[in-house]
Amino acid sequence: MKQGIKAEDLYRLQFVSDPQISPDGERVAYVAKRINQDKNYESHLYICGLNSGASVQWTNGCHKDFSPRWSPDGKTLAFVSDRSGKNQVWLISSEGGEAVQLTGSTQGAGSPVWSPDGKSLLVTVAVEEEKEEEKALKPLEVTHLKYKADGKGLLNEVYSQLLHINLETKEEVQLTDGAYHHFDAAWSPDGQKIAYCKSRGQGDTISFASDLIVRTMNGKEARINQETGSFTDPVWSADGEHLAFLGQTFEFGSATLGNVYTAEVGSGKVLCLTREFDDHAGDAMVGDMHFGHPSPKPFWSKDGKGIFFIASTEGNASLHYVTMEGEVSQITQQKCHLYGYSMDVESDYAVFAASSPTVPGDLFYASLSNLSEEVRLTDMNEELLSSVSLSQPEEFTFINDEGFTVQNWLLKPPHYTEGCKYPMVLEIHGGPHAMYGNTFFHELQLLAASGYVVLYSNPRGSYGYGQQFVKACMEDYGGGDYRDLMAAVDHVVTHCDFVDPDQLVVTGGSYGGFMTNWIVGHTSRFKAAVTQRSISNWLSFYGVSDIGYYFTKWEIGNHVWEDPEKLWQHSPLRLSSKVETPLLILHGEEDFRCPIEQGEQLFIALKQQGKSVKFVRFPKSDHNLSRNGDPGLRVNRLQYIVSWFDDHLGQAEQGGRLNENIAADRV
């Protein structure tokens, strides 16, 4: 009998991303990421022949190679690698051979973009505004609201600038400057203009606001967007007269749906093509294998009359198409997470990077006119998956008290036996404006393999169900969203006789951690809980989080000085005296999104009252520990979760053992 997946199987999983079709349409370059024998992340470039379906590993070594980009003649791949210490741009022949380092920026370089004639490259380089004369320890003077960022720590005066490199003369010219980040560069078809995105600066209250800029090669700049928002991923039309790009305007704060835009470059006229499309243009899927993959840009159709893009709808990330008149149609129909793609619109085909609950991530090839006959190009996890038993989710929905349809999934243990009863774990996603769905999730499969039925749900506030649904939890954290989650649990224990209603546990991270804290402050129906990278106190979160100063206003409705009582009313810390559920608090020491003081406050309050609580602090770990943290600590984290639930459900049984069928599942 095959075993269920284990925490340590994280070391065996591989993940495929960033497909790039060659100019002749015969090959696709892609990136495969894995954890090596030293338990460090590494990634390498592969090239697959689309006719043969055979892949060849193109780069090697204990380092990270990524962002492959074909030269226009298909003879060279530019890519980014950390093999020399910092990320730099390298070149390698598409016929094989040694890679050659192109950039040597002190702070690193990335994002290579070929000129249409193949004679030069645009890259981004990190540039210090003022170089330090010496490396002596000195104070950090803070004058901006955004002076720190999760995953980066305290920010110094270093900004990403665009650098033009002539490949024949090796001449380098820095095209941009100033205290702004410049990114997502795209060259016009005639090579006379570039489009790129420019941040609004660290002093801006909305830290991820960005503008779309068009610049001529003689230095003349024009801003395309008129509204304030976050605008990214510009792509030129074949005639060079229009730009397609993605963006959102913060109309509903962080709950605003993403949209597809076009701009007429000559006149500056901007149209939002998906204004009537009531779903999110972008990938909102939650998972623990896909973090950090590049966001796929939109693609123009062959006739220039429409644009392909990824959208998140009802638990799936799928390929969509929008006409210049704003008519949207869904192109791919599979229940899956399509997280990357590359198109040859001239030849009418595409290569997709996709995941499903039982496929961590692979490449698929299909004609755009016959997507039902897709061909699988890679099977990177064949060895692992042939030796383990995975669970296939079962979907169900219900209508909540506001008339919204709420989508949910159940994972049964892989060795589920009819007639037996199982404990159930409620998993709550972060965001809250994100989406569970049809993607591979190691943690969920592990819990199922450990003998648990796993319930995961998209309560109000989640992406995938329209603008009204995604903003429905704003200023109501712990209200309707809490009722949706409890209704999902009630539905399962009422309709599924294989779930033991006396053996329920709960966990979640970030917003899911907030909600876990909120749940144990309102009910004792769960026998154990694990809160991860959570929020416990909105009053302190406002000033200590890297996003607290605007996220709190958007989500709870007030700045800290406007109505502190409202922030306190939504703070789980206020409810600590009511907590009866044994609580495990997991937090990263270097989490700047939900800083560790949030976990500290909750632990001290519960411990001081004699509650059952344990606090685990993960060193050198930020908010994304579960997705891209130290591999060993990721495994530790999963082991803590399963052990906490096992121990406390064993106590709840009074006999110290779980049902025999659960033990059998763990063989």
Side-chain angles (χ1 to χ4, degrees):
M1 180 184 293
K2 291 181 180 179
Q3 293 185 352
I5 203 163
K6 302 187 295 293
E8 294 83 357
D9 286 330
L10 178 69
Y11 302 138
R12 302 171 62 192
L13 285 163
Q14 298 189 67
F15 175 65
V16 173
S17 67
D18 202 9
Q20 299 290 321
I21 297 174
S22 62
D24 62 8
E26 296 182 359
R27 296 175 290 177
V28 59
Y30 62 94
V31 178
K33 179 180 177 182
R34 59 176 172 258
I35 297 170
N36 62 29
Q37 61 185 5
D38 297 320
K39 298 182 181 178
N40 294 316
Y41 294 105
E42 66 180 40
S43 59
H44 299 294
L45 309 188
Y46 285 70
I47 293 181
C48 176
L50 292 176
N51 291 324
S52 67
S55 287
V56 177
Q57 186 171 337
W58 220 247
T59 62
N60 294 276
C62 297
H63 43 251
K64 302 181 185 73
D65 301 329
F66 54 99
S67 298
R69 297 296 182 265
W70 295 92
S71 61
D73 62 8
K75 295 181 179 180
T76 306
L77 279 168
F79 67 100
V80 182
S81 177
D82 67 352
R83 59 182 65 193
S84 62
K86 288 186 177 290
N87 286 340
Q88 302 289 353
V89 177
W90 294 65
L91 302 176
I92 190 170
S93 169
S94 62
E95 301 303 318
E98 293 294 325
V100 177
Q101 186 171 340
L102 179 65
T103 64
S105 171
T106 303
Q107 301 293 327
S111 305
V113 183
W114 289 91
S115 63
D117 61 10
K119 294 181 179 180
S120 58
L121 277 170
L122 285 175
V123 304
T124 58
V125 294
V127 177
E128 292 185 70
E129 283 295 283
E130 296 181 8
K131 287 188 175 289
E132 293 184 17
E133 295 293 329
E134 54 187 58
K135 296 299 181 181
L137 194 65
K138 62 179 185 180
L140 174 68
E141 296 182 1
V142 176
T143 58
H144 300 305
L145 275 170
K146 186 172 179 63
Y147 67 91
K148 61 182 180 180
D150 187 65
K152 297 179 180 179
L154 297 176
L155 301 176
N156 51 20
E157 299 296 309
V158 176
Y159 299 91
S160 57
Q161 307 294 349
L162 297 182
L163 186 71
H164 177 261
I165 304 176
N166 186 309
L167 297 179
E168 295 176 343
T169 66
K170 307 303 181 186
E171 179 186 10
E172 298 182 356
V173 178
Q174 186 176 318
L175 302 181
T176 61
D177 55 25
Y180 308 96
H181 293 292
H182 303 78
F183 55 98
D184 284 355
W187 225 305
S188 65
D190 62 5
Q192 298 304 304
K193 303 183 189 72
I194 56 172
Y196 60 88
C197 301
K198 179 179 180 181
S199 72
R200 282 289 181 103
Q202 288 187 5
D204 211 76
T205 55
I206 304 173
S207 65
F208 46 85
S210 59
D211 296 320
L212 181 60
I213 307 296
V214 170
R215 183 187 192 276
T216 62
M217 294 310 291
N218 63 11
K220 184 179 179 181
E221 288 187 355
R223 191 178 83 181
I224 298 299
N225 59 291
Q226 300 305 312
E227 296 178 281
T228 296
S230 176
F231 300 98
T232 62
D233 301 298
V235 180
W236 292 87
S237 60
D239 59 12
E241 295 182 2
H242 293 82
L243 282 167
F245 56 100
L246 304 178
Q248 62 121 308
T249 59
F250 310 127
E251 181 181 1
F252 301 102
S254 50
T256 308
L257 297 179
N259 282 296
V260 179
Y261 294 81
T262 60
E264 192 175 81
V265 177
S267 67
K269 182 181 179 181
V270 176
L271 291 176
C272 178
L273 298 183
T274 53
R275 187 174 300 279
E276 301 303 318
F277 174 61
D278 194 24
D279 266 314
H280 178 64
D283 179 4
M285 190 75 75
V286 172
D288 55 5
M289 292 298 298
H290 311 104
F291 185 82
H293 69 81
S295 173
K297 295 177 179 287
F299 265 78
W300 286 91
S301 63
K302 180 179 179 179
D303 59 12
K305 295 183 179 179
I307 297 161
F308 295 96
F309 66 101
I310 298 291
S312 298
T313 57
E314 297 181 354
N316 300 297
S318 309
L319 185 67
H320 286 64
Y321 178 78
V322 60
T323 68
M324 300 300 281
E325 292 72 39
E327 298 177 2
V328 178
S329 54
Q330 184 172 330
I331 305 301
T332 57
Q333 303 298 322
Q334 294 90 337
K335 288 191 172 184
C336 72
H337 175 200
L338 199 160
Y339 58 86
Y341 68 104
S342 182
M343 287 189 166
D344 186 332
V345 292
E346 292 295 325
S347 300
D348 190 45
Y349 76 86
V351 174
F352 302 105
S355 174
S356 72
T358 56
V359 177
D362 276 302
L363 297 187
F364 301 83
Y365 166 92
S367 166
L368 291 171
S369 57
N370 190 11
L371 289 168
S372 62
E373 295 186 5
E374 67 180 19
V375 176
R376 187 169 185 163
L377 295 175
T378 65
D379 194 355
M380 297 298 288
N381 294 284
E382 179 182 14
E383 181 181 354
L384 170 62
L385 298 184
S386 65
S387 65
V388 300
S389 180
L390 297 179
S391 298
Q392 188 69 41
E394 300 175 10
E395 180 183 329
F396 70 92
T397 61
F398 63 85
I399 306 299
N400 71 9
D401 55 14
E402 293 293 328
F404 291 121
T405 298
V406 179
Q407 189 177 22
N408 316 264
W409 293 265
L410 277 181
L411 279 181
K412 293 178 181 176
H415 302 139
Y416 168 80
T417 302
E418 195 76 34
C420 291
K421 283 189 178 291
Y422 295 84
M424 185 177 77
V425 54
L426 169 64
E427 274 266 7
I428 309 169
H429 69 62
H433 313 303
M435 179 183 74
Y436 275 140
N438 291 302
T439 193
F440 183 82
F441 210 130
H442 179 220
E443 180 178 328
L444 303 187
Q445 291 287 348
L446 170 66
L447 286 165
S450 300
Y452 293 88
V453 172
V454 184
L455 167 62
Y456 51 111
S457 175
N458 283 335
R460 69 190 77 180
S462 304
Y463 275 129
Y465 312 95
Q467 184 64 79
Q468 294 305 310
F469 191 92
V470 76
K471 76 180 187 71
C473 71
M474 298 176 74
E475 301 189 36
D476 188 39
Y477 273 39
D481 46 2
Y482 169 73
R483 295 195 299 275
D484 285 354
L485 291 167
M486 293 304 98
V489 174
D490 291 341
H491 179 97
V492 173
V493 298
T494 300
H495 294 89
C496 302
D497 59 6
F498 52 86
V499 170
D500 187 339
D502 295 324
Q503 289 191 319
L504 305 179
V505 293
V506 60
T507 186
S510 196
Y511 163 82
F514 159 85
M515 187 53 71
T516 299
N517 298 338
W518 189 263
I519 285 171
V520 298
H522 280 80
T523 178
S524 58
R525 72 187 301 184
F526 296 92
K527 302 306 179 186
V530 181
T531 182
Q532 308 170 52
R533 60 191 187 278
S534 71
I535 295 173
S536 66
N537 183 355
W538 287 101
L539 289 164
S540 62
F541 176 85
Y542 185 94
V544 298
S545 168
D546 66 340
I547 63 172
Y549 54 90
Y550 63 87
F551 188 82
T552 306
K553 172 69 172 179
W554 280 352
E555 297 295 315
I556 307 301
N558 293 102
H559 290 296
V560 69
W561 60 87
E562 292 176 333
D563 189 353
E565 180 58 28
K566 183 175 183 181
L567 301 189
W568 183 239
Q569 286 301 312
H570 285 279
S571 296
L573 186 64
R574 176 180 62 85
L575 305 167
S576 62
S577 65
K578 301 180 182 300
V579 175
E580 301 299 332
T581 305
L583 182 65
L584 175 64
I585 302 171
L586 305 181
H587 225 114
E589 294 280 6
E590 298 177 4
D591 190 336
F592 279 24
R593 185 58 43 85
C594 296
I596 197 167
E597 61 87 30
Q598 294 286 305
E600 290 172 330
Q601 291 187 67
L602 186 58
F603 172 74
I604 293 299
L606 293 174
K607 195 67 177 176
Q608 181 75 352
Q609 298 174 74
K611 308 287 186 176
S612 176
V613 62
K614 179 188 285 187
F615 188 22
V616 180
R617 305 169 67 116
F618 292 86
K620 297 182 180 179
S621 300
D622 60 29
H623 197 64
N624 295 306
L625 166 64
S626 65
R627 297 172 282 232
N628 74 340
D630 175 86
L633 292 179
R634 288 178 66 179
V635 170
N636 291 157
R637 170 188 159 272
L638 293 168
Q639 292 169 335
Y640 271 115
I641 295 170
V642 174
S643 294
W644 187 259
F645 290 155
D646 283 358
D647 291 347
H648 288 87
L649 287 182
Q651 293 170 11
E653 280 288 304
Q654 295 183 351
R657 288 179 54 86
L658 299 177
N659 293 335
E660 290 182 4
N661 59 289
I662 298 172
D665 280 325
R666 292 176 187 155
V667 172

